[in-house]
Every structure is written in structure tokens, then in C-alpha cells.
Amino acid sequence: MKVPLSWLREYVDLPAATAHEVAEKLTAAGLKLEAITSHGHDVKNVVVGEVLEIEELTGFKKPIRHCKVETGEATPREIVCGATNFVAGDRVPVVLPGGVLPGGFEVGARKTYGRMSEGMICSERELGLGDDHGGIMVLPPGTPIGADVVELLGLRDEVIELEITPDIGYALSIRGVAREVATAFGVEFRDPAAVEPPAETGPSWPASIADPTACDRFVLREVRGFDPAAQSPLWMRVRLTRAGMRPVSLAVDITNYLMLELGQPLHAFDRDKLRGEIVVRRAAAGERLETLDHVVRELDPDDILITDQSGPISMAGTMGGLETEISDGSTDIVIEAAHFSATGISRESRRHGLVSEASKRFERGVDRELPLVASWRAVQLLAELGGATIQPGVTHAEVEVSPPRIAIPSGYPGTVAGVDYSRDTVIARLEQVGCVVTPGSDPAVRKGGVDPTGVVTGGALAAKLAVTGDDMITVTPPSWRPDLTDPNDLAEEVIRLEGYESLPSVLPSAPAGAGLTEGQRLRRRIGRALAEAGYVEVLNYPFISPDDFDRLLLPADDARRHAMRLANPLSEDEPLMRTTLLPGLLKTLVRNVGRGFSDVALFETGPVYRPREGAPEVAPVLGVERRPTAEELASIEAALPDQPLRVGVVLAGEFERSGWWGGGRAASWADAVQAARAVAGEARLELSISADQHEPWHPGRCAALYVGDTLVGHAGELHPRVIEAYGLPKRTVAMELEISRLEAAMPGPVQTPAVSAYPVATQDVALIVPDFTPVADVEAALRDGAGELLESIRLFDVYVGEQVGEGNKSLAYTMRFRAADRTLTVEETTAARDAAVAMAADRVGAQLRSA
């Protein structure tokens, strides 16, 4: 909304305040400032001149005229001009040499078309008054010669542009903004709607309301004998232009002017094109209407229409129909002013993609009491400026609507703000808004609910604050504030008018024991550990395609194929919620490789979505008018899938980079297993590793990851067919592990271990075992056999060759022994080592390898 300061001052006795000071007050009151634009302050040396003589110059491609213009100086000025819409004797605006036009355009004396031109005769566009550049601006006869055009036309002005949010539709008018400014400065407000129309003497053009849900007030007035050639006065065109609207014609300009001034959209019909009674109703199936923008629109049964016997003639509150528009020959006019359903107009506007200045106001809420006043002012201006004759009578179709009343404790605004507002302050501020405040409330109000007269009560608030009847007030909002429907709305009005800057800034105290949960700390530790190991974190959309199940080679009965389908997916290609992290990671890997990154290590943490057995496929949709019951919340919970948290990694190319220091090392299944070990280590858990066959991994290079007897994930090299299906690099490896299961198995708080001051004793042992024997089983046997003296065990070599025999492998371990209370002897460490070897021999058939 663009608000010219000069227009604002017409209704508010502002002190000597600048536009910036006014804008600061409006911002403090809760209106958002977009911009402040100055007009005419750079214009100088523009005066009124009278054209004395005109000489038509020939020999040029376009009309050129050499004019003598009297400007009140000693001698007339000679000016060359290309416009032809003025004659000798006309008064015109003239820029003298040295003068400046809007935008900093300087005008001087120069020779052109073989003649000296001492200045410039101006059009409206050149003076910044509009877009009309078709000819010179001709001033009314009798305008003083030599007068300053800037002062004469009021070119100097400042325009405050505000962004109007949906809840303050009243500010889409000069009237609404002026009321806010008057309140902010504490000065008198003169309401432009404070006009008393004449008493109704009978109906004008016949009209009725067929659908009370679409419209509750419809007013028609009529004028005849309007002069279609009458021009809009300059002051009106200037104001419309400054407010961001283009002048069109007098009849249209009057409706637009009053809409900007009062906030009430109006529409003008050509009386001669109307056919019978006008009816406001909803559209019928198959109806169509060609609107003023020359578009034929298919109407929806929910659209609100203005119709006559010929059918639809206007989309109510949005755009008029082409058939009944005011034309260049219209002399008899019917003015319509109405109060339409805000939600109905909003839906209609969006349904047709047709946002107009009228629809912007109706969908935010218009003053229901304005139609009679606005229509009367419109016909007055048509008579005053266009020579029309006002026809007696007015058509006023109305549906009775009771004004809302809201009962609240007088201390409620202070409770919301945390500031002690007195009862008198609350009442005074609400009355400044325009509310009618009466003390007290009847017992029905204090008990809560809605009383028979339509009072919206603050019963729950009253009970909460344990107030008495003397503390209650009943508030009737003004007709121009349809947004005030709730006790919180009234509290906001008091708070904003008292000043947001007066609200205390108090930081809440942090409750003891708050902070990250153990699960949150675990997830952060996992992310840091993988990042330190060389992995890069990615965040993928949690959506997958049904084709991903086939590309991953999942069996038909695999639980991962049972996925939740989105009701409104972002892409029809990926309509399912993921049941595994791998598809997103693999696609991200392919994109990176395709962009030239051949060595990639990625990880992602996030939930997967696994539907519960027997859960409903569709969750119930609840309303927002009340809090859901426990049963309704339980029904929603039952429809939700399990959402365990997982971590996944994928690797391709070199995991250890090659360089001047030598060759690198390609990523292998062991790196994926080690990533799983690093994740488990952050949960202070040891993984058990065993061979497995699990899609989408290679059947001979897949490891199952266990914590105790609980399967927590898989790692290894992907199946060649999976690699081919996704277009991955050869020997791509991956790991997926369920963090939720790790978290459930985590031990209690970390206990500080006792640190022994005695030296460590080291023993190396090499065992020969069958090549199919899991390393984890061998290590577990050694640990159990070594007993409490064993501090750590590390596999440092694996050998396969002739020396150990076909079908065997050699595993070499370093075993560290230490006691907490003594230095171990050679005999003690040897005995512990021999016991460990014996346990390995018994469990896995291990043989001690000789030198």
C-alpha cells in the first residue's frame, strides 16, 4: 500500500513530521515499512506559460512547432516542441533554461531544427505525474502565468510504502493508515467515511442476495446524464499515480480513488447493458464469463457471481465482466458496493489466478458498514466532476449479522506481555482502536462458551486467572476490524499500542540437567569419527523409487520392499519413503564420480521408515478447531512407521591417496568393516564380525555386524549386478548400520579405568587355522583363554601360502599382558599365552605355527 503523505495529512493534523518519522511510528505500531519515495524535490524552475504564437516547421519527418511562450519574464521564450495537442492561448508548464525535471534531467537553451529553443514545454509524464506521454499537459484557463508549477500542482510529496499482512486489511486504505498515524501521534483523526447519506427514499436498480454465505450487504445507486468525455481532475490523477494506480477514465478513477481512500472496492455498471434484477449467487455448473481482461473463464460452483437475467456479469469482488463495462459512450451508470465473504473471494481469486486490488481487500476483510457511504460518495463525485444527475433512492439488500462481542479479563493483555497494564490503560487502548468496551460480563460469559447473544467468551481465561466479575470487560470490535475475533487479538492491540519497545527482555533460565541426550551425543560422536576418518557427510532426500528395490537385488519377500507411499510426492519417480539409506548414497556417489571425483568416501545418518505390521495404510486427518483427544493421537501414532536411525557409508576409488610418496590403496570391504567398528567404538561397543550373504552385497564379501546376539548391520563389497545397475565404479563398497540398536546396547556411564604403573609384557603368537575360519572367532577364543591379565590383542598379519598348507591361513597376533599390582614374570605371561592358544585350538582347531 502506497500512502502519499499529503493525502494522509488531509485526515490527520500531523505535526511537522517527516515521512521517516511517520514511518517509524507506523513500524512501532506493527506495520511493516517497505520503502519511502520522494517526489518532486529535485524539480526546479518550472513555471506556467501561455502559448502566444505557433509556427509549424516543415521539411521534417514529424510535426515540429516553433512556439513563443509568455512566462512572466521581460520577453517571451522561444521553444521548439513536437506535440500538437495545444493551441495558441493555452496555459502550459514550461521548464526554463537551468531547470531540472524529475530524475535529475536538466534542461538548457540549445539550437535544434534550425531554431533556438529556450526551455521545454512538459507533458504529465515528464513532470512525474503519470504515464501519459501523448501530448503536452494543458493547464486550466486562468492559471497564473509565471506561477511555480511545483507548488501549483503539489508535485513535492513523499510516499510511504507499507507491506500489508493478511491480518490488517484495514491498512489497505488511507483511512486505515490515517487512523493508525493519529493514534501514534496522539492527534485528531477525521474519518473520511463520516458522511451521512440521505435517507433511503426507495430502491434503485432491483437487486437481491440469493446466497447469504457469499454476501451479506449489497448496495446499488444510480446516476444519469454522465459526460463520458469528462476528464479526471489533476489532483485525482496525481493521487492515483502516487498511490500506484494508473488513471483510466473519470468513472473508473472515482471508484479506484474511493477504494484507496476508504478501503471499499466499488464497481460501475453501464446501466443500458443491464438486463433485469441483479442477483448475488454462486455459479452454476457450466457457466462462463468473459472478464475485463478479455479472458473467457470457466466458472466454479463455489465462485461468487453478480448476475442479471442474461447470466453472470461480474466475478464478485475480483473482476467485472466485459459485457457491462463502462465504455466511452456510457452516460447512465449503476454503482455497486458490497460486503462479500472474505474466504469466498480468497478462494475465487486463487482458483482463477486472478489477483486484483479489490480481491486483495475483500479477502483480508472490508468494513461492513462502508457500502452505503462509499456508494453515496461515488455518485456525488460522478455528479460533481462528470455532470451526472443522482437518481433518488438506493437498493440495499442485507442479511442481518450480529456484531461479535468478546469477554476477557482486563488483566489479560498484561499477562500475555508480562507487563502490568492498568485496567484504564487497557480500556483506553481498545477504545483507540475503535472498540466499544463495557465493564463486566454476565455469568454465562464467565463460565465459558458462547452466550445466546453471540459473545465470544474468555471463560477459560477467567477461570485460569481466578478473576471476579469486576475484572471482566466485554469488547465489541469496530466494523473495520474483522480480524479482532479472539481475546489474544485484543491483547495484541493493547501491547502494540503501548509499544513493543516497552516489553522487558528477559532471558529464560536454563533448567538444571538440560542438554543433549546420550543418543544425541552418540550421533554427534559418530559424525565426527567418520569425518575424521576421511568420509564426507551428505544429506539426501528420504524418497526412493520402486525400481531401487530391483537394482538392489532385494528378494520379493524382503521386508525392505514394504515401503510407505507418499500421498503427494515431490516426484512421481520417487513416491516411496526409504527403507534403507543405500539408494540415496549410491546415487550421490554416481553424481560425484560423473563430475570427475574418482575417489569418493561418503556417509549419511538419518532415519529409515519401516511400516508396522497391521498398521493402517492412511493416517486419520484431524481438524484444527480443538486439541485431539488421547484416542485420536493414538490412532495417528498407530499409523506411523517405525523410524530407526541408521548410518551408511559408501566408498569408491582410492581410500588412501597415491602421490609423490608412493602408491595409494583402493577402498576394500575391510574399510567398510572398519567404518562400522569406528561407529560402534563411539558407542563403547565391540562388534562381532561374521561372513554372511545379504543383498545388495557380494555373497562372498559380505560381513554381518553383531553386538552380542543382535544383528546391527552389514558391510562389504557390493554385488557386481548392483554396481552395474547404478553405474557405480568397480569394487564399490558400502556399510549400513542401525544406530538405534547400538544406542539400546550401550553400557552405562563411562567408568574411569584403573591405570597400572607396572610394565607391560608382550607376546606374539601365530596360529594356523582353516581359511574359512572367522578371524573374530579366533580372537574371541584367545581373549577367553588368556584371562584377566590380557590387556589388548591386535591382529598384525594374515598369511596364505605353501608354508601353511592349502586351505589354511596364518593369523599373527600381538598380545599385551599387564597386572595392576605387580610386574609379571616370564612364566606368568607364557602361561597366559599358552592358555589362549589352547582355547583357540579347542574352539576353532588352531595350531601354533612354528618358525
Side-chain angles (χ1 to χ4, degrees):
M1 176 67 188
K2 294 182 177 180
V3 182
L5 196 58
S6 61
W7 201 348
L8 206 60
R9 290 183 185 276
E10 188 171 322
Y11 305 116
V12 181
D13 291 326
L14 280 177
T18 65
H20 289 273
E21 292 170 338
V22 174
E24 287 177 4
K25 292 282 190 180
L26 290 174
T27 300
L31 278 72
K32 183 180 178 182
L33 175 67
E34 281 289 293
I36 297 177
T37 307
S38 294
H39 294 276
H41 291 276
D42 54 348
V43 178
K44 63 180 182 180
N45 215 12
V46 183
V47 300
V48 176
E50 181 179 5
V51 180
L52 301 178
E53 298 178 11
I54 299 176
E55 178 186 356
E56 304 287 346
L57 303 182
T58 59
F60 301 102
K61 294 182 179 179
K62 60 180 181 179
I64 299 297
R65 312 170 94 189
H66 181 253
C67 309
K68 286 188 178 181
V69 183
E70 174 63 48
T71 59
E73 299 173 300
T75 59
R77 295 277 184 176
E78 296 186 4
I79 301 176
V80 175
C81 181
T84 59
N85 67 312
F86 61 97
V87 297
D90 282 345
R91 305 283 171 97
V92 293
V94 178
V95 187
L96 300 177
V100 180
L101 289 175
F105 179 71
E106 297 184 6
V107 176
R110 64 191 182 95
K111 190 171 184 179
T112 180
Y113 296 101
R115 301 294 180 94
M116 180 59 68
S117 182
E118 301 173 309
M120 176 179 171
I121 306 175
C122 302
S123 66
E124 289 187 11
R125 180 178 174 184
E126 290 160 342
L127 290 173
L129 295 176
D131 296 330
D132 186 6
H133 197 51
I136 293 304
M137 180 180 183
V138 178
L139 300 172
T143 305
I145 297 174
D148 185 356
V149 170
V150 172
E151 297 296 333
L152 181 70
L153 303 183
L155 296 184
R156 288 195 182 96
D157 202 355
E158 290 180 298
V159 176
I160 301 171
E161 185 174 358
L162 302 170
E163 179 183 328
I164 306 304
T165 54
D167 61 325
I168 53 172
Y170 67 92
L172 277 172
S173 66
I174 302 296
R175 180 195 187 205
V177 177
R179 182 179 280 107
E180 289 290 341
V181 171
T183 301
F185 282 92
V187 296
E188 181 186 356
F189 166 64
R190 292 182 294 277
D191 191 350
V195 175
E196 190 66 35
E200 300 180 13
T201 58
S204 179
W205 191 273
S208 62
I209 299 173
D211 188 344
T213 66
C215 175
D216 57 32
R217 176 163 283 176
F218 192 77
V219 174
L220 296 177
R221 295 186 190 270
E222 186 179 341
V223 297
R224 296 185 185 177
F226 173 74
D227 180 6
Q231 296 293 314
S232 300
L234 181 61
W235 60 266
M236 181 178 287
R237 299 202 306 273
V238 170
R239 283 189 171 178
L240 288 173
T241 302
R242 294 282 192 263
M245 299 197 77
R246 181 177 61 87
V248 179
S249 64
L250 178 58
V252 175
D253 291 350
I254 287 173
T255 59
N256 287 338
Y257 178 84
L258 292 174
M259 178 182 67
L260 290 172
E261 183 180 68
L262 301 176
Q264 171 66 55
L266 300 166
H267 188 70
F269 295 103
D270 187 330
R271 182 184 184 278
D272 294 336
K273 299 176 182 178
L274 295 175
R275 300 290 180 268
E277 181 185 18
I278 291 178
V279 179
V280 183
R281 60 171 174 83
R282 303 279 182 174
E287 285 190 304
R288 307 169 76 191
L289 174 66
E290 184 174 3
T291 47
L292 292 173
D293 55 359
H294 298 275
V295 175
V296 177
R297 303 184 184 275
E298 299 289 339
L299 301 176
D300 186 272
D302 199 38
D303 288 342
I304 303 173
L305 300 181
I306 299 173
T307 67
D308 64 5
Q309 291 180 359
S310 65
I313 58 174
S314 176
M315 292 177 64
T318 306
M319 184 173 286
L322 187 64
E323 181 64 29
T324 56
E325 73 166 333
I326 299 296
S327 64
D328 293 341
S330 299
T331 58
D332 298 341
I333 297 173
V334 175
I335 292 293
E336 166 242 306
H339 185 259
F340 297 111
S341 162
T343 55
I345 298 301
S346 177
R347 291 169 181 166
E348 177 178 280
S349 173
R350 281 154 180 75
R351 186 182 302 116
H352 293 279
L354 190 60
V355 179
S356 64
E357 290 295 328
S359 69
K360 288 179 185 177
R361 287 161 174 80
F362 277 121
E363 68 184 12
R364 286 168 169 82
V366 172
D367 186 352
R368 186 177 180 274
E369 302 302 321
L370 277 178
L372 285 170
V373 173
S375 60
W376 173 246
R377 288 203 58 198
V379 296
Q380 279 185 310
L381 288 174
L382 288 170
E384 177 184 339
L385 303 176
T389 301
I390 302 174
Q391 298 302 299
V394 56
T395 297
H396 182 194
E398 180 182 15
V399 176
E400 192 65 34
V401 176
S402 299
R405 294 190 297 131
I406 307 169
I408 64 168
S410 61
Y412 184 61
T415 302
V416 173
V419 176
D420 187 17
Y421 298 134
S422 69
R423 179 186 177 89
D424 291 341
T425 297
V426 171
I427 292 175
R429 287 303 188 183
L430 291 176
E431 287 178 342
Q432 278 185 320
V433 174
C435 298
V436 176
V437 182
T438 55
S441 176
D442 59 53
V445 173
R446 290 199 299 274
K447 291 177 183 176
V450 179
D451 73 4
T453 61
V455 176
V456 179
T457 76
L461 301 173
K464 182 178 179 180
L465 298 177
V467 297
T468 66
D470 293 338
D471 293 319
M472 296 293 292
I473 56 175
T474 299
V475 182
T476 303
S479 59
W480 57 84
R481 292 299 303 272
D483 58 299
L484 302 181
T485 60
D486 184 85
N488 290 313
D489 297 330
L490 302 180
E492 182 183 2
E493 292 302 302
V494 174
I495 294 168
R496 75 179 182 88
L497 293 180
E498 280 294 302
Y500 292 118
E501 69 280 358
S502 65
L503 298 180
S505 179
V506 180
L507 290 176
S509 57
L516 297 177
T517 65
E518 185 60 32
Q520 290 169 329
R521 286 194 288 268
L522 172 62
R523 291 192 282 276
R524 293 194 180 190
R525 290 199 303 269
I526 290 172
R528 285 195 296 268
L530 291 174
E532 290 168 358
Y535 293 85
V536 176
E537 184 173 17
V538 297
L539 295 173
N540 294 307
Y541 283 120
F543 313 126
I544 60 174
S545 167
D547 295 337
D548 285 316
F549 300 140
D550 297 328
R551 287 194 283 260
L552 292 175
L553 307 180
L554 301 186
D557 59 348
D558 195 298
R560 287 171 289 179
R561 283 187 175 271
H562 186 202
M564 300 283 290
R565 180 173 291 272
L566 294 166
N568 187 24
L570 292 179
S571 169
E572 293 298 333
D573 294 333
E574 295 181 326
L576 305 179
M577 298 297 289
R578 67 188 177 193
T579 57
T580 169
L581 298 179
L582 293 181
L585 281 167
L586 297 179
K587 293 172 186 176
T588 303
L589 175 64
V590 169
R591 282 195 295 272
N592 279 271
V593 171
R595 285 161 176 77
F597 298 98
S598 57
D599 306 316
V600 184
L602 306 175
F603 83 94
E604 180 180 14
T605 58
V608 296
Y609 306 88
R610 307 297 291 271
R612 298 171 183 170
E613 193 70 30
E617 294 187 4
V618 180
V621 179
L622 306 181
V624 297
E625 67 280 355
R626 58 175 175 81
R627 186 185 187 279
T629 64
E631 292 76 12
E632 290 171 334
L633 291 175
S635 67
I636 294 176
E637 181 68 27
L640 295 178
D642 289 327
Q643 300 176 48
L645 189 69
R646 292 192 175 186
V647 59
V649 304
V650 293
L651 302 92
E654 291 185 341
F655 190 60
E656 294 178 3
R657 301 296 177 87
S658 57
W660 58 265
W661 52 84
R665 182 179 63 81
S668 70
W669 62 267
D671 295 306
V673 172
Q674 183 55 35
R677 290 184 184 276
V679 170
E682 295 301 325
R684 306 190 303 280
L685 297 170
E686 287 284 343
L687 289 180
S688 298
I689 313 296
S690 63
D692 196 6
Q693 293 187 16
H694 187 74
E695 294 77 8
W697 283 274
H698 191 294
R701 297 167 189 160
C702 173
L705 312 173
Y706 287 88
V707 172
D709 295 330
T710 302
L711 178 67
V712 295
H714 289 84
E717 183 180 314
L718 293 175
H719 196 290
R721 287 166 57 191
V722 174
I723 291 174
E724 180 182 1
Y726 279 100
L728 300 167
K730 294 181 179 179
R731 310 299 292 269
T732 296
V733 299
M735 180 275 289
E736 186 173 21
L737 186 149
E738 194 155 303
I739 298 175
S740 299
R741 294 182 182 177
L742 291 184
E743 186 178 344
M746 285 177 63
V750 177
Q751 300 296 324
T752 303
V755 179
S756 175
Y758 294 93
V760 66
T762 303
Q763 291 275 357
D764 289 346
V765 60
L767 302 175
I768 299 174
V769 296
D771 57 7
F772 57 81
T773 305
V775 173
D777 292 350
V778 178
E779 183 177 320
L782 292 173
R783 283 184 181 277
D784 292 344
E788 295 180 355
L789 294 179
L790 182 65
E791 184 178 81
S792 68
I793 182 171
R794 182 176 68 87
L795 176 68
F796 69 86
D797 184 56
V798 178
Y799 173 74
V800 178
E802 295 180 359
Q803 296 183 22
V804 297
E806 185 177 354
N808 295 326
K809 62 184 176 182
S810 172
L811 306 176
Y813 292 92
T814 293
M815 305 177 70
R816 291 165 55 93
F817 298 92
R818 195 193 313 255
D821 57 351
R822 68 190 185 280
T823 299
L824 294 175
T825 64
V826 174
E827 290 78 11
E828 287 178 305
T829 56
T830 301
R833 182 202 65 181
D834 291 344
V837 172
M839 182 65 74
D842 182 57
R843 286 190 182 178
V844 299
Q847 299 178 12
L848 190 64
R849 180 182 173 186
S850 63

